[in-house]
Each structure stands twice: as C-alpha cells, then as structure tokens.
Amino acid sequence: MKPEGCDAYCYTFEQVTDMVLYCIANELGWLADVLIGLACTGLRINELASLRWSDVDVKAGVLRLTDERWSYRRIKLGSARHTKGKRTRCLPIHPELLKVLARLSKTLDGLIFHGPLGSKLQDSTVLRNLKDYVIENLKSKYPTPPGEIGFEHGRVHSLRHYFCSESFRNGATEAQLLEWLGHRDSKMVAHYRHLRPDDSKKLMSSMRLLDLNPGQSETA
C-alpha cells in the first residue's frame, strides 16, 4: 500500500539530543546506545537488534545489513535475518555511531546492541523504557498543544522519521535515502520525510524573487 499521509511524530534534533543525554545521566546507557543507533541509521528496531559485529566494516566505514532468508546455514542456526524489503543494503557509519561501536564490547552471541544487563534486545523493552522513563520525564520541556500530535506521542519508529528528515535537511539525495532506508518507491521516502517550518522560513528569506530597488542593490 502506498502511503497517502502520515501523522507519526518526528523528533527534532534538540529532542533526540536531550533523550540521549537523559539516558546517559540516568543509568540507561544501553538505551542511549540504542537511540544513537536508530537516529544514525534509520533502521527499524528489529533490524538494529539483529545487527552483528560481522556486519560492521570499519575500514570501509559501512554497515552491511544482509537479508539471509535464503541462507541455509543461518536458517539451520535459527539466526537468519529477514529485512522488510527483502533487500541487502549498505549504510555509511555516522561518526557518533562509530564512537558507540568503539566503546561496546563484543559478546558471545555476536550481536552489537543489547537490552538491560546485557539481555537480548526486545522491541517491547525499548518502547516501554523510552515511553515510561524518557518521554514521560521530558514531555514537560516539550509540551504538546491540546488536540495536536507532539513529543509525548513520539515512539521508537519516530527515530526512523527523524533520520530520514535530518538526512534530507543535511543534503542527502532521494536515491541515497531509498538505499539507506531499504525502499524502492520514492513515495515511502516522502512518508518518512518531515519538513521543518524553520527550514522553509530560512529558505524563503534567502530566495531572490523580486528586485524592486535595483539601484540600491548595485551600490550596496
């Protein structure tokens, strides 16, 4: 189905920064790492949870997220990864994510990210901690107007919207976003991309649409 609209909340740069810093300050380091991972890759939470150290190519500076539904060996081991788009894709490693990878210890299961006390990373655990501890304690700083969709409605998947929007704002092309997000249809990129009012205002102010005082502009 092609998206006709989207009412998912998209975090701002300041909000994501505050969420990560809140986790670090409140002994939720594992969640801070997960938030950084999601914000810097646009991966779905189940894709991030399945990332292995063998997916990391530090020399090339990329993550390789492989679809392994056809791997007999992985199926037999019970660890075959299925990407939603059935596509293997490659993502450049952001410097902030590289810092996390350099700090994390390798474990016997080969997975990069883990939940509390080193447990297997579960979607529900991430959502519960994000909602009950982080968003709940920061929502007074980012109040939501009555009847509107705001910060308090943000969820884990909102970080995928954030990654797409911030990548676009920083100059990423549609082709790059399609590759990074694992989509073939540009309508899906539009689904995740949110335009900021301040960006529109800045652009409008900088555009040369009229010149009603040509003499002044030449002598200025």
Side-chain angles (χ1 to χ4, degrees), residues 14 26 158 198 204:
E14 292 75 17
N26 290 275
S158 296
D198 54 332
M204 182 64 75

Side-chain angles (χ1 to χ4, degrees), residues 65-147:
L65 191 70
T66 54
D67 185 275
E68 300 163 339
R69 70 187 66 230
W70 312 117
S71 171
Y72 174 76
R73 177 174 172 273
R74 285 291 181 187
I75 292 173
K76 191 174 181 180
L77 290 172
S79 60
R81 176 169 50 205
H82 293 193
T83 61
K84 188 173 181 179
K86 301 180 181 180
R87 298 176 62 193
T88 292
R89 63 189 194 270
C90 189
L91 298 94
I93 302 175
H94 188 275
E96 290 299 331
L97 177 57
L98 191 60
K99 293 178 185 177
V100 173
L101 296 177
R103 177 166 40 77
L104 291 176
S105 301
K106 295 185 178 181
T107 53
L108 293 177
D109 61 10
L111 297 173
I112 298 175
F113 294 94
H114 295 84
L117 303 177
S119 60
K120 182 175 175 58
L121 190 63
Q122 301 287 344
D123 303 15
S124 57
T125 302
V126 176
L127 175 59
R128 184 175 65 255
N129 281 271
L130 176 64
K131 180 182 175 182
D132 294 349
Y133 298 115
V134 184
I135 293 177
E136 183 65 27
N137 285 289
L138 291 177
K139 68 180 184 181
S140 60
K141 183 176 180 179
Y142 301 105
T144 301

